[in-house]
């Protein structure tokens, strides 16, 4: 997908918010819901996998934006 610089910055802002929200959801789930169901650890593992993927995508976008800004 081709983006201009403004779209890239907006994408980075949105992804940063999503990553932050997902981190908070994981922390909440670990702290308060761990004992509620045997499926919670599996759900946490899935959220952590999503978080890793989103973080990697965000880092790539941020690096690309920095390179673009340097031009």
């Amino acid at each position: 997908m081709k983006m201009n610089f403004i779209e890239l910055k907006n994408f980075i802002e949105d992804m940063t918010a999503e990553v932050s929200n997902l981190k908070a959801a994981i922390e909440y789930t670990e702290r308060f819901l761990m004992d509620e169901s045997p499926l919670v650890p599996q759900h946490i593992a899935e959220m952590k996998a999503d978080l890793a993927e989103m973080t990697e995508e965000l880092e790539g976008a941020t690096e690309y934006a920095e390179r673009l800004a340097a031009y």
Side-chain angles (χ1 to χ4, degrees):
M1 179 168 93
K2 194 171 185 175
M3 293 184 195
N4 66 35
F5 189 70
I6 300 297
E7 291 170 332
L8 180 59
K9 287 185 72 169
N10 290 338
F11 173 79
I12 290 170
E13 289 175 7
D14 292 345
M15 283 294 291
T16 300
E18 286 185 41
V19 165
S20 178
N21 289 340
L22 187 52
K23 284 180 183 178
I26 291 169
E27 289 174 11
Y28 177 85
T29 303
E30 287 178 329
R31 185 174 296 145
F32 297 109
L33 301 177
M34 185 59 90
D35 298 326
E36 295 296 316
S37 165
L39 297 177
V40 170
Q42 177 184 347
H43 184 63
I44 290 172
E46 291 169 359
M47 288 192 303
K48 285 183 177 181
D50 289 344
L51 178 62
E53 184 179 315
M54 291 170 63
T55 300
E56 185 177 319
E57 188 174 347
L58 178 58
E59 288 171 355
T62 302
E63 290 171 7
Y64 181 65
E66 289 170 355
R67 288 193 309 266
L68 283 179
Y71 286 112

